[in-house]
Amino acid sequence: MTKVTFIEHNGKEHTLDVADGLTLMEAATKALIPGIDADCGGACACATCMVFVPAEWESKLAAKEPMEETMLEFCEHSAENSRLSCQIKVSPALEGIRVTMPESQH
Amino acid sequence: MSTGEEAGIVIIGAGQAASQAVVSLRAEGYEGRITLIGDEAEPPYQRPPLSKKFLAGEIGFDRVELKPAEFYAGANCALMLSTRVSAIDAAAKTVATSDGKLIPYTKLLIATGSRVREINVPGFDLEGVHYLRSVGDVHDIQSHFKAGAKLVVVGGGYIGLEVAAVAKKNGIAVTVLETADRVLARVVDPIVSKFYERIHRAAGVVIETGVTVVGFEGKDGKVTGVDSGDGKIFPCDFVVVGIGIIPNTELAVNAGITVDNGIVVDEMTRTSDENIFAAGDCTNHPNGIFDRRLRLESVQNAIEQGKTAAAAMMGKDKPYNQVPWFWSDQYDLKLQIAGLSQGYTQAVTRGHPETDNNFAVFYLKDGVLIAVDAVNRPPEFMMSKLLIAQHAKLDPARLADESINMKEVAKA
């Protein structure tokens, strides 16, 4: 189990113990955290599970695949530190990670 | 027999629309009872992975179920699984189940989805003839996944081609039979059909077009071949039929609700009965972007109508009006589709589908972008989704010009 914190756009925090191997998106949607839609269920097809990852965590995550990279490039609220949470696998290396969510996924 | 419970919101169906409606009802502040009635044994799960990663065995049921079963209890949502609804009494505001229960409702959501179109030819009931719609169907199909086994796929649509790709990767000899003169004929331009035929053939899949199945042959009750009527038999160990789906509208029809190629709803998912709403595959709904009624078979449609229905049952207007989008995974190719191409007057290709494994086809109607098929091309997909909603009139030459960034194509 790895502790991760999701922070809604309005600042509300949700800290979860997540089974390693799940994606951040799965952890959030199964726990009903508002702000992550994940319409496609994790197929990297819809870009509705975007989160912002603080710079200090970036090196601990697997690099973006080209598919994720370009999907993000065309997302409305995308920023330099955006990631698609369906592409981030939870592992002990992410213990304590805090990600924030955009205003909207559409 | 009545359950004696206080009436609350009842949802018929336990798929993506139903599951989303439960989540959204709670988010909208509904605190009353919710009863979810589904005829499958499993709690709500995602269907798109069934013909993709789940069939491939890359993910288990825990990764396709939408919420853990405990969620429903925690949300004061009664899950009545393996239960069929036999009738809706709109006047009495009750739902009857086939095991004799009568459940009162304040508001009712019909999210019955769709079922597979069955093939009605001799031998249809032989062992080894399968469809793919449910988790159970996938397990049945997987039981035949032994290297060297022979599969015939009937129907060259998305389900058929996705199954073919997964089976091929599992060492199975695959033949796809399609009635039309090309695969995906109903939904894409011949450029895209030709591309997928090339990819599947390169992977070793046999694709036969212009073939209509007239029967199945069997031995000891098990299917052994598919008869194409012209004297040719395609030998097989198992068959997967993917020839379309039919919306489940019978309950609505029998309840006196207006049905016309799907349960007729407005942009707020309201049916012709003021206490009854409908969401997902089973609906026929207006779309303002395309300015016509649609019946869609997609997860986006289920999720978004589920959200709208939850709001509407709480008396709030959250109109559903979006550019439809879909996707298909085959081999290492991700096809992303936005919009609806029916009625297009021009198809514009960006890239080289005859040689490469990434390209996009834009569908224009009198110069206006109405749809895109993008293979391993997320920029084309993402940008087109926006441009379709804007009814953008685009210059075909700019769309085809790869030196122009997708973000710039709409500029004159």
Side-chain angles (χ1 to χ4, degrees), chain B residues 357-369:
Chain B
N357 71 348
N358 66 88
F359 67 98
V361 172
F362 301 95
Y363 297 85
L364 303 177
K365 187 179 183 185
D366 306 322
V368 174
L369 184 67

Side-chain angles (χ1 to χ4, degrees), chain B residues 72-93:
Chain B
Y72 300 94
N76 185 24
C77 174
L79 268 187
M80 295 176 69
L81 301 176
S82 306
T83 304
R84 291 193 76 86
V85 169
S86 52
I88 300 164
D89 185 334
K93 298 196 345 186

Side-chain angles (χ1 to χ4, degrees), chain A residues 32-85:
Chain A
L32 293 185
I33 291 172
I36 294 196
D37 291 355
D39 289 355
C40 77
C44 199
C46 71
T48 61
C49 67
M50 187 170 75
V51 294
F52 302 114
V53 178
E56 62 267 29
W57 288 98
E58 212 182 289
S59 62
K60 300 210 166 78
L61 305 179
K64 280 177 252 183
E65 298 275 338
M67 179 67 88
E68 181 187 352
E69 182 109 43
T70 36
M71 291 289 282
L72 282 168
E73 202 186 315
F74 286 83
C75 278
E76 199 174 343
H77 304 281
S78 191
E80 191 74 357
N81 62 343
S82 290
R83 292 293 306 254
L84 293 180
S85 59

Side-chain angles (χ1 to χ4, degrees), chain B residues 163-201:
Chain B
V163 169
V166 172
K168 192 69 218 173
K169 270 167 113 178
N170 278 270
I172 289 159
V174 185
T175 301
V176 177
L177 305 180
E178 167 57 45
T179 304
D181 61 357
R182 58 189 175 93
V183 300
L184 302 173
R186 195 170 62 94
V187 281
V188 302
D189 186 85
I191 298 165
V192 182
S193 299
K194 219 172 273 172
F195 170 79
Y196 276 102
E197 289 172 5
R198 172 171 77 79
I199 293 295
H200 279 277
R201 283 179 177 139

